[in-house]
Amino acid sequence: MDALKEGLLRVEPGLFLWTVITFLVLVLILWKAAWKPIVEALDARAERVRGDIESADKARQEAEKLLAQHKSLMDNAKSEAAKIVEDSRAEAEKMRNEIIEKASADAKDLSERTKKEITLAKDKALSDIKAEIVILSTEIAAKIINKNLNPNDQKALVEETLNKVGTVQ
């Protein structure tokens, strides 16, 4: 109760002086012992956070760079694939046209060869017929004349018959 009588805010110079000295000593001890390590720890932590932010920014920039390269490579691959497909289509069309042209040329050659073979067969048949006609004509003439012809007469008769057969064609 004395405190109430004397008042709570009453200042004692000795107590005040010792309180201030104790406070200053405590601040000095804390400054020397704890303040510097706490500030250093906070500075180190701030530096670590700053470094983490910088490395995250570098990683983000590298990721963006890799993404741009990836997109570029994908675009190049797509355009190259489209070019390959287009070149393949053009080559296939070219090959198709070449095959068609070759087939047409082969068909034309086969047709011409067949015509030549037919013409040759026809000519051979006509030659065979002419030879047979000559033989028959000679035999008929020999029977009609009942005599053997001499070789010059026979030759003249054959040529005359060939000329007649040639005009019949």
Side-chain angles (χ1 to χ4, degrees), residues 75-143:
D75 290 342
N76 289 343
K78 284 180 183 178
S79 65
E80 190 171 323
K83 182 182 178 202
I84 289 171
V85 167
E86 185 61 33
D87 290 347
S88 297
R89 283 185 183 149
E91 185 66 27
E93 184 67 24
K94 181 181 174 185
M95 287 176 65
R96 183 179 78 82
N97 290 337
E98 287 175 358
I99 289 170
I100 289 172
E101 288 174 10
K102 187 173 187 275
S104 294
D106 289 347
K108 185 178 178 183
D109 289 345
L110 180 63
S111 174
E112 289 176 5
R113 195 172 342 123
T114 305
K115 286 178 183 177
K116 286 179 182 177
E117 287 176 3
I118 290 171
T119 302
L120 288 174
K122 178 182 154 191
D123 290 345
K124 185 176 184 306
L126 287 175
S127 291
D128 291 345
I129 290 173
K130 285 180 186 179
E132 191 65 33
I133 289 173
V134 168
I135 293 170
L136 289 175
S137 297
T138 307
E139 288 177 5
I140 292 172
K143 285 181 183 179

Side-chain angles (χ1 to χ4, degrees), residues 23 29 34 55-57 77-78 104 107 110-111 123 134 153 161 169:
F23 179 75
I29 290 172
S55 65
D57 189 42
K78 284 180 183 178
S104 294
L110 180 63
S111 174
D123 290 345
V134 168
D153 291 338
T161 305
Q169 284 184 10

